[in-house]
Each structure stands twice: as C-alpha cells, then as structure tokens.
Amino acid sequence: MLKISKLAARDYFYEWQISACYVLALGTVLGPLLVLFGLKFGIVGSMVSQLVEEPRNREIRPVSSGRYDIGWFYAMHKRGDVSFIVPRKRNLAANIQLKSKTAKKILDVELIPTAKNDPLLPNIVNPPTDIHWLVLSASAANKLAVHAGDVIDGSITRKVKGQTQRVHLKLQVHGIASSASFIRDGAFGSLSLLEAMEHYRDGYAVEEIDWPGEKLKSKGYYTGFRLFARTIDDVEPLKKWLNEQGVNVRTRAHEIGVVKQLDQNLTTVYWAIALTSLIGYVLSLGASLWANVDRKYKELCILRLAGFRTIEIICFPIVQSLITAVLGWVLAIIIFHLAEFTMASIMAEQLESGQRVCRLLLRHYVLALFFTCCSAVVAALLAGVRATKSEPTEGLREL
Amino acid sequence: MSDYFSKKKTLLYNLYKVNRSVGSGNAQFNMAIKNLRIYQGDKIAFIGESGCGKSTLLDILAFIAQPTQSETFNFYLQDQEPINIFSEWQKRHFDPLSQLRRRYIGYVMQTGGLLPYLTVKENILLSRYMLNLPEEDEAVDKLITDLKLERHLNKSPSVLSIGERQRVAIARALAHKPKIVIADEPTASLDPYSAKLVMSLFVNLTEQFNITLIIASHDWQPLKNFGLHRYYLHTEYSSQLTETSLI
C-alpha cells in the first residue's frame, strides 16, 4: 500500500498545476464556509455568552413590596432554576451612612443583602456573614478611600417622639465588589445587619450590637428579595411562575429575547447558507475527484497491467484526494485567518477587549478536516471502484 | 541438436477453444483461438493485419482481457497445479491474476505506456519495485547498457524520442526477469533502422534470460530473421461480424 501511495503522491505533485487547481477549488469553497461559521461562533456567540455571563441578565426583581416568610425563601432556594435568592427588607430602612478616617465626606449608600454565591460578587470568596462585615462597591470604596481590611463607621438614624436618634457600628470592609458587578455607590452586608437596621428604625432594640429600643416581639416578614435565575433561559419561565403566584417581577427578558432572536435568525440564515454551500462543496469535490479518476483511467490501467492489486488501484485516487483535501483545508484555514484579520481590523473600535469577530476552536478545524477527508475518500472510493470494475485492457489501447 | 530434443519443454500456456467477443449490433468482433500451446523459451510472433485482434490475443495471454468462452485456458507454473485462468476471470479473482502479471509477465506496449511522473530509471525499475527486488542488479545494469539508456536514466519520458521510449518500455518489461514477455508491435512506431536495432536487442535479451517471447506484428518482414515461430491471424468479415481465428 505504501508503494502505490508513493506513486500516487509522485503523480499528484508531477501534475502540480492541475493539483493546485483542485486545491484552490476546494479551499475557496471551504474557506468562506469556515468564515461564516467563525462569524456565527465569534461575534454572535460572544453576544450570547455575554448575556449568559452577565449576572444582571439573570436577575428577577420584584416590582412592589410583598410579604414573604422564610419558608417561601427555603422553597425558592430548592428550585432547580434558581441560582441565588436572599430576602430583602424595606428599601427605606436599608440606607446607611458610611464614614472613613481617610475621607471627609459621609457617604449615604443602600445596603444590599448578600449571602454565599452572590452572582454580583463573583470575586468575593467569603461574603459578609457577620453583622460587622461589609463589601463596598468599587465606587463607594473609592469615595471613602478605603481598601479591603479597613474599618469604617456605619451609622443610621431614627425619629422617636420627634427626636432624632443615631447609632454607630464599626464595620470592617471585607472586600470590594468589581465595578462591572455594581456600578453605583452601595454596600453589601449580611441579612442580619439589614434586619438590625430595620428593627432599629422601627423603634426596636438590637441587643446583639447594643442598639436601644423596645423589645422585638416577632421578626415579621420580608418585603422583597434578590433573585437570580440559574441561566438566561430560566428567566422567562421563572417570571411566569412568579406572576402566577401573584408576584409581579421585572426582568431583562426583552433584551434577552432580542439577542436570542438575533442568534436564532442568524443561526437559521447561517445553516441555510452553510447547507447550500456544503452541498455544493461536496458535489464539486466529488465531481472533480470523479473527473480526475476518469482522466487517470489510462494510467491506472497501466498500473493494473503492471500487477497492482484492486485495493491498491482504489487507493491511488484516494491518496490523491486526501492530499487535495488536506491542502484544500490548509488553504481554507489561511483564507479564514486572512478574513478574520481583515474583519478584526475593520471592526477594532467596536470590539471590546478580548472579543473576536470571527472565531473557531481547534475542534472546528479538526471537524472541517474530518468532514473534508471523508467526502474526498467517499468520492475517490466510488470513482476508484469504478476504475477497477472494467478489464485493464480497456484503458490501455488509448495510451 | 540431440540436447534440444532430449530436453523436456515446459508448458506455459494451454488454450483450447478460447473465444472473446466484443461489441454489439453491426460492430461485433470475435476472436477465436482454437488451439494454442506455448512453452517456456518459445519465441512467437502473431502476424495479422491491423484491427484483426492481435492486441486482443496478447491481452488474453497477459490476463488483462477476459475471454468470453473457453474450454481450456490453463497457465502452468513449475511444480504447481495448472491455473485455470478462465475460471479466475469468471470468479472475478482479479488479484491472483494481478499477482501472475506482476511476477511472471513483462508487457511492452505499442506506444510505450510509460508513467510520465516517473523518471526513466524509475519506470524501468517499477516491476522490481513492486516485487521488492533490489534496485541494484547486474542484469538490469547490462540491460540499460545494451539498450543504450544510461544517459537518459534521470530524464522524464516526455523528453525522449519514440524509439527511446520504446527501449525504456522493453527494459521495464525485462527488468524483473519475467518468464514471459509480451510485446505489442514493439517496433511499429520506429523507422526501419531503429526497428531492426531494437528488435535485435529485444530478442537477444530474451534469449539471454531464457524468457518466452510473444510478439504481435502486422508485418512479418522485419521479424523473419530473429528465429520467431510465426502464427497467422485469419480474419473474415461480414456485414455484422469481424471474426479472427488463429491458424
């Protein structure tokens, strides 16, 4: 088999001009197909993955205050389509004034309840679980001129019988949220801190941190929640389910829908073009290989006369087709990279850092090679078998 | 003389009532071989007019054309059972036939039939290459020298003259020292002087290697001095059928 392969390769490169035409024909069909797939996998893919990766797109916010007991939260937490849920208290009770030694200005921020696996705090390994811990947004940390580990003063006020009362609490900056996660001034704290603030504002005492007031009789209900669906695909069904439970919520379903629709449309267009090109590609590859075997028929008959076996004669066009397939594939990759470079240069300003217009993974290249080789082998095999069906004498007299 | 008669000749081919019919309608052709026995070392010439089926007969003997009918078509190898060639064709056992061609037959085509992508040397050594025989061989070197091909060895066949190509084809047919060399009008495309030269070399070389030589030619004249045994192909024409039989 090695002998016939060597002869096939010799013949292939001897007729390099014709071989180059076959390679060009293959590369110029496969190349644009790769570009098309690269676009689909690149720019559109990154838009979709941005949607998936952006936690805010998975957030489901209650439109109005409600009454949710702790049992409701446990039930929600157990759902497969929920990745994170934490109770919220009244918005008015959630404001806290922060003061650091390194900044003159007192910063009035919203305290957002957090817990383990908070999607908005992916860089915080241990979220604040202690009442004295706090995670600041990057903006708030900047204004307060503090870093992780610093201790700041937190204070809240209440009015009792016309008199304003203020309490202070030493808070340790447990971490800084990334600016991408939370743009505004804000602080993430434990649910216990938020509850303490609400109880104090309602006139109750918080014994744990020595805040004075009446004795708390019951913990009461939560008025809201911070809820994140597991994936963007879970947002819409979860919203629907909550609506059915009488909970009106707001999501980014519209934005998600637009990009998903765009992805779907582009996918349809892509596959329509890809399938048409693919059929054309396979037919043109098959036709050219078939024609090549026809052209080589006389020489194949000489080889049969010389005593090469049937399988070896079939191998002759297969080896040549495989060389065409591999070289055509290499050419297609070169075309793809040239197109990618050109598009990236043109769209450089519109692209975010790390974003690529046209992108293929190693497995895509391998798949393209595999598919090309398979098509080439099938076409050459059919043509090769045809060449061995007749008697060798038929082709000899024409030489 | 006594030596010649005391030696028992080894039978190679035994053909009895072998036919090959091709074509249809008004263009039917039938090749009929009533009885043909060829022995090791024979030098045979099939003589007949153009289009009478000489090449068809050679192709049948080279196992590259399938007979349509046959009572006996045996090929003999020393110390082995005769091989029923017709049966091999009928069973579509192409590979055993390929193996016989590769090992035992050298074929010189009318137009050379050289592979254009191989050099002259590689064309000559093709049969040896297929049989895993070493490239370097004294007999092959002598063959190349006798056929005056030394200066052409690294050339492409396309730059050679017709006569030179024919000499390369002869060298290729002989390089693996086959039992039989079949040559189809080996000198037809050569001028009379070159034809005589090439034919003389060809016959001498086959004699040196004790090779059975089977030649087809339309003209007996250039062959008559080389000691070949002559068979005539007799052709009859009718409106629908051309029928050739071997006399």
Side-chain angles (χ1 to χ4, degrees):
Chain A
M1 211 60 82
L2 187 66
K3 287 174 183 153
I4 197 78
S5 302
K6 280 182 181 172
L7 286 177
R10 282 291 297 274
D11 180 36
Y12 188 85
F13 292 108
Y14 173 76
E15 291 191 318
W16 65 270
Q17 283 158 317
I18 294 170
S19 304
C21 290
Y22 286 133
V23 171
L24 272 175
L26 173 60
T28 47
V29 176
L30 183 61
L33 210 60
L34 289 180
V35 173
L36 196 64
F37 189 76
L39 280 172
K40 160 86 177 64
F41 194 71
I43 193 83
V44 179
S46 70
M47 281 163 79
V48 175
S49 66
Q50 263 181 5
L51 264 179
V52 176
E53 284 163 17
E54 169 57 59
R56 292 210 169 276
N57 290 326
R58 292 188 280 121
E59 188 169 11
I60 298 170
R61 294 165 171 232
V63 174
S64 54
S65 296
R67 281 166 68 86
Y68 309 98
D69 61 17
I70 199 74
W72 186 85
F73 284 99
Y74 279 131
M76 287 296 287
H77 186 69
K78 282 181 184 167
R79 287 178 65 99
D81 51 2
V82 172
S83 79
F84 178 82
I85 187 161
V86 68
R88 284 192 95 130
K89 285 294 188 179
R90 294 194 316 271
N91 283 347
L92 284 173
N95 274 15
I96 186 167
Q97 290 181 322
L98 302 174
K99 170 85 177 76
S100 72
K101 287 174 186 169
T102 45
K104 288 178 184 174
K105 198 178 171 184
I106 294 170
L107 199 63
D108 199 353
V109 300
E110 179 192 2
L111 186 76
I112 301 151
T114 187
K116 206 173 174 185
N117 300 326
D118 190 334
L120 293 187
L121 303 177
N123 58 331
I124 308 295
V125 182
N126 292 311
T129 47
D130 190 285
I131 201 166
H132 292 283
W133 290 355
L134 206 63
V135 168
L136 291 175
S137 72
S139 161
N142 191 36
K143 285 175 183 168
L144 291 168
V146 290
H147 301 96
D150 290 349
V151 176
I152 57 173
D153 177 71
S155 67
I156 56 169
T157 59
R158 70 181 175 189
K159 276 199 172 180
V160 179
K161 294 173 185 172
Q163 274 197 321
T164 303
Q165 297 176 347
R166 179 179 289 273
V167 284
H168 292 266
L169 184 67
K170 292 290 173 203
L171 295 167
Q172 189 187 35
V173 179
H174 195 62
I176 312 289
S178 73
S179 52
S181 300
F182 199 87
I183 297 168
R184 293 177 288 122
D185 292 340
F188 293 85
S190 63
L191 182 61
S192 55
L193 175 59
L194 203 75
E195 283 177 327
M197 286 161 61
E198 188 181 70
H199 294 155
Y200 178 76
R201 284 198 163 111
D202 289 345
Y204 297 111
V206 182
E207 289 174 4
E208 193 185 348
I209 46 176
D210 297 327
W211 284 353
E214 289 178 28
K215 189 166 179 166
L216 181 68
K217 286 164 193 161
S218 110
K219 278 201 166 185
Y221 290 91
Y222 299 100
T223 57
F225 51 82
R226 284 183 61 220
L227 169 63
F228 288 83
R230 191 161 297 279
T231 67
I232 54 166
D233 294 324
D234 292 323
V235 172
E236 194 56 36
L238 205 50
K239 178 187 175 185
K240 199 176 165 190
W241 184 82
L242 286 166
N243 286 342
E244 283 168 6
Q245 304 303 307
V247 182
N248 284 328
V249 290
R250 195 168 55 228
T251 65
R252 288 195 175 183
H254 178 68
E255 290 90 331
I256 293 167
V258 168
V259 178
K260 280 173 81 174
Q261 189 62 45
L262 179 70
D263 178 44
Q264 216 165 40
N265 292 345
L266 279 173
T267 303
T268 310
V269 171
Y270 166 76
W271 281 115
I273 298 170
L275 270 177
T276 314
S277 314
L278 212 63
I279 292 167
Y281 159 64
V282 170
L283 286 179
S284 76
L285 181 68
S288 64
L289 292 175
W290 186 279
N292 190 39
V293 172
D294 232 32
R295 200 170 56 80
K296 293 273 161 206
Y297 181 57
K298 300 165 194 172
E299 282 172 34
L300 290 176
C301 286
I302 289 277
L303 293 175
R304 289 179 74 190
L305 171 66
F308 278 102
R309 288 174 295 147
T310 308
I311 187 74
E312 290 170 316
I313 297 299
I314 293 172
C315 261
F316 191 90
I318 288 178
V319 169
Q320 296 196 333
S321 302
L322 279 175
I323 300 173
T324 301
V326 172
L327 294 180
W329 172 76
V330 170
L331 177 66
I333 289 175
I334 294 169
I335 292 171
F336 168 79
H337 282 289
L338 284 175
E340 186 209 8
F341 177 76
T342 311
M343 281 190 278
S345 307
I346 294 168
M347 296 171 72
E349 286 180 9
Q350 285 94 354
L351 295 175
E352 291 172 18
S353 156
Q355 197 176 23
R356 288 171 67 182
V357 185
C358 208
R359 188 167 73 106
L360 287 179
L361 299 180
L362 181 66
R363 65 170 181 270
H364 297 136
Y365 294 115
V366 174
L367 264 175
L369 177 64
F370 176 74
F371 189 76
T372 307
C373 287
C374 284
S375 310
V377 166
V378 169
L381 183 73
L382 294 174
V385 167
R386 193 174 63 105
T388 58
K389 287 285 177 202
S390 56
E391 298 163 275
T393 184
E394 286 177 24
L396 288 177
R397 298 292 155 235
E398 296 166 45
L399 271 170
Chain B
M1 188 65 81
S2 61
D3 265 3
Y4 180 84
F5 286 108
S6 64
K7 270 186 189 172
K8 192 186 171 192
K9 290 177 85 181
T10 311
L11 186 64
L12 274 181
Y13 288 97
N14 182 16
L15 286 80
Y16 181 67
K17 289 188 179 175
V18 175
N19 272 30
R20 176 174 162 88
S21 302
V22 288
S24 58
N26 290 335
Q28 281 186 55
F29 171 79
N30 184 47
M31 170 87 230
I33 307 158
K34 282 172 189 158
N35 195 358
L36 177 66
R37 290 163 81 87
I38 300 173
Y39 294 89
Q40 179 68 46
D42 277 358
K43 287 184 285 174
I44 294 170
F46 293 118
I47 309 296
E49 61 193 289
S50 291
C52 74
K54 300 183 295 293
S55 301
T56 304
L57 176 56
L58 293 189
D59 289 354
I60 289 171
L61 295 175
F63 318 137
I64 55 172
Q66 180 175 8
T68 321
Q69 285 178 325
S70 161
E71 280 200 15
T72 307
F73 185 1
N74 285 345
F75 182 68
Y76 297 84
L77 293 170
Q78 211 163 11
D79 305 327
Q80 284 186 34
E81 287 291 306
I83 301 162
N84 186 338
I85 300 298
F86 185 64
S87 166
E88 295 291 310
W89 273 114
Q90 282 190 313
K91 291 176 195 164
R92 302 186 72 77
H93 288 174
F94 297 147
D95 287 344
L97 294 174
S98 298
Q99 204 175 341
L100 290 177
R101 285 198 295 273
R102 180 166 54 209
R103 182 68 199 90
Y104 301 108
I105 295 175
Y107 199 109
V108 183
M109 294 175 64
Q110 194 171 346
T111 48
L114 302 178
L115 295 172
Y117 49 89
L118 298 181
T119 62
V120 165
K121 188 178 182 184
E122 287 164 337
N123 263 293
I124 293 170
L125 294 174
L126 180 68
S127 48
R128 294 185 69 82
Y129 174 67
M130 289 175 64
L131 291 166
N132 292 322
L133 297 172
E135 276 189 25
E136 301 303 324
D137 183 83
E138 267 184 42
V140 175
D141 291 342
K142 186 173 184 313
L143 196 62
I144 290 167
T145 311
D146 288 351
L147 288 165
K148 296 186 173 59
L149 291 170
E150 304 102 311
R151 64 193 180 93
H152 301 302
L153 290 179
N154 295 317
K155 290 180 185 170
S156 164
S158 59
V159 301
L160 301 184
S161 69
I162 294 171
E164 286 165 343
R165 282 185 213 179
Q166 207 59 17
R167 296 206 311 260
V168 177
I170 291 169
R172 184 176 67 182
L174 293 167
H176 60 301
K177 297 170 197 164
K179 270 180 177 294
I180 307 141
V181 167
I182 296 173
D184 188 5
E185 305 256 17
T187 56
S189 46
L190 304 179
D191 60 84
Y193 175 74
S194 303
K196 195 177 172 187
L197 195 72
V198 167
M199 199 58 217
S200 167
L201 278 169
F202 194 21
V203 173
N204 280 341
L205 289 166
T206 52
E207 279 174 353
Q208 276 177 38
F209 297 133
N210 188 33
I211 290 171
T212 305
L213 178 62
I214 305 169
I215 289 179
S217 176
H218 64 277
D219 190 4
W220 171 243
Q221 199 61 29
L223 304 177
K224 68 178 184 183
N225 296 325
F226 295 108
L228 297 165
H229 184 73
R230 155 174 64 148
Y231 287 87
Y232 275 104
L233 292 172
H234 176 68
T235 309
E236 284 179 5
Y237 299 95
S238 70
S239 59
Q240 289 191 324
L241 178 69
T242 305
E243 189 162 43
T244 296
S245 15
L246 184 67
I247 302 170

